[in-house]
Amino acid sequence: MIKKLKILAAASLVGVTLLSGCGNESTDGNAMDSEKGKTYKIGLTQFAEHPSLDAATEGFKKALEDEGFKEGENVEYDFQNAQGDMNNTQTIANNFVGDKVDLIFANATPSAVSALNATKDIPILFTSVTDPIGAGLVESLDKPGDNITGTTDNHPDGTAKTIHFIVEEAGAKNIGVISNAGEQNSEVQVEQVRSLAEEKGATVVAASVSTSAEVKQAAESLVGRVDAIYVPTDNTVVSALESVISVANSEKIPLFVGELDSMERGAVAASGFSYYDLGYQTGKMAAEILKGNKKVSDIPVELPGSLKLVVNRNAAESQGLKVKEEWANTAEFFEGK
């Protein structure tokens, strides 16, 4: 009898052990349980270094901190900057997969595309992406995918408001647009600008670059051919924006941009939002996944918050555009450089 009881006890112990092992396996690869004592590893991949992308990364980290994920306590970040090199983005993503990070934050379209190419299992949260569907990142904004979602920086009214200002208020008939044809997000914007300009009777003169070293030459190629220059949220061009600003100032050609951080650096105007806030939105989404509250596939891609048109008074004067005080009825004035 005692021998039988020992056998039963041993069998019960094995059964409990097996059940416990099964219970520790995630039933959904996209949602992770928030475990006490666990330190999460998050890979941060950023395509290039410039104020907007930097701000988005900082906003992402701050949101996670506010949600209880504190660096040095229960979260570790591996920040990698691709320095505007497409090949680097894939190497970075592959390394994150090899390191078995718990989540990837992909800042800008090339970084997000490379991350998705590298893994269909690790959750990916993207930001600063202009056209998530066109880039092949998600099937739709409402139903993104099994392991990827995030925030887009393409507010439907942002570019339209800026082009309206360029044509109607600055009086431009020929608009120069500088972009990197290799950035899918930029080409989408160039076509938007072209269509919006044509609707208002203006034309677009395109200048293409492949590296930041070519940006100044591209800006100089527009001199005498355009009444204004527009730079979309193109990472290659924005990273070398001071080159465009110097040409705009010396040749008295008003420069307009696709986001507020670039406007503050010395462009005339932009209709935009805070990239810090956009990154913060993405961080809140990441927190829901890390806590196990939501699956990646259940979180729709989010648009940025409310837009505002901002005019840089000093830049306008430096670039030969007379400031109209009535602009204050629809825009804010920035008194910086």
Side-chain angles (χ1 to χ4, degrees), residues 301-316:
V301 175
E302 295 182 4
L303 297 175
S306 58
L307 289 170
K308 61 180 179 180
L309 177 65
V310 181
V311 176
N312 185 331
R313 188 190 295 271
N314 292 339

Side-chain angles (χ1 to χ4, degrees), residues 220-301:
E220 291 172 338
S221 74
L222 297 172
V223 175
R225 304 166 62 201
V226 302
D227 311 305
I229 296 174
Y230 178 76
V231 172
T233 56
D234 180 294
N235 297 293
T236 303
V237 182
V238 171
S239 65
L241 190 67
E242 278 65 29
S243 297
V244 186
I245 293 170
S246 68
V247 173
N249 288 342
S250 63
E251 300 296 334
K252 304 302 179 186
I253 305 174
L255 169 65
F256 299 85
V257 289
E259 30 80 28
L260 299 181
D261 293 307
S262 291
M263 181 278 307
E264 293 179 5
R265 291 161 72 183
V268 170
S271 179
F273 50 87
S274 164
Y275 271 76
Y276 179 91
D277 291 345
L278 193 68
Y280 194 94
Q281 279 180 249
T282 318
K284 296 277 283 187
M285 298 160 78
E288 289 294 290
I289 295 165
L290 292 175
K291 291 178 179 180
N293 294 338
K294 291 183 179 179
K295 304 175 186 177
V296 176
S297 57
D298 291 338
I299 304 177
V301 175

Side-chain angles (χ1 to χ4, degrees), residues 47-48 50 53 108-110 128 183 185-186 233-240:
F47 181 58
H50 62 69
L53 296 187
T109 302
S128 312
E183 288 193 39
N185 56 300
S186 300
T233 56
D234 180 294
N235 297 293
T236 303
V237 182
V238 171
S239 65

Side-chain angles (χ1 to χ4, degrees), residues 7 15 22 40 52-53 69 75 90 95 100 112 146 154 169 187 192-193 234 250 270 291 294-295 313 319 331 334:
I7 292 171
C22 293
Y40 293 97
S52 295
L53 296 187
F69 295 93
V75 67
Q90 195 60 63
N95 287 341
K100 298 181 180 180
D146 290 336
N154 188 15
E169 299 298 336
E187 289 307 286
Q192 286 178 343
V193 171
D234 180 294
S250 63
K291 291 178 179 180
K294 291 183 179 179
K295 304 175 186 177
R313 188 190 295 271
Q319 295 163 18
F334 175 75

Side-chain angles (χ1 to χ4, degrees), residues 45 88-99 101 104 110-124 137 147-148:
T45 172
N88 288 346
T89 63
Q90 195 60 63
T91 301
I92 291 168
N94 291 341
N95 287 341
F96 285 162
V97 173
D99 292 340
V101 298
I104 296 174
S111 295
V113 170
S114 292
L116 189 58
N117 287 339
T119 179
K120 297 297 186 290
D121 299 312
I122 298 173
I124 301 168
L137 294 172
N147 75 312
I148 187 166

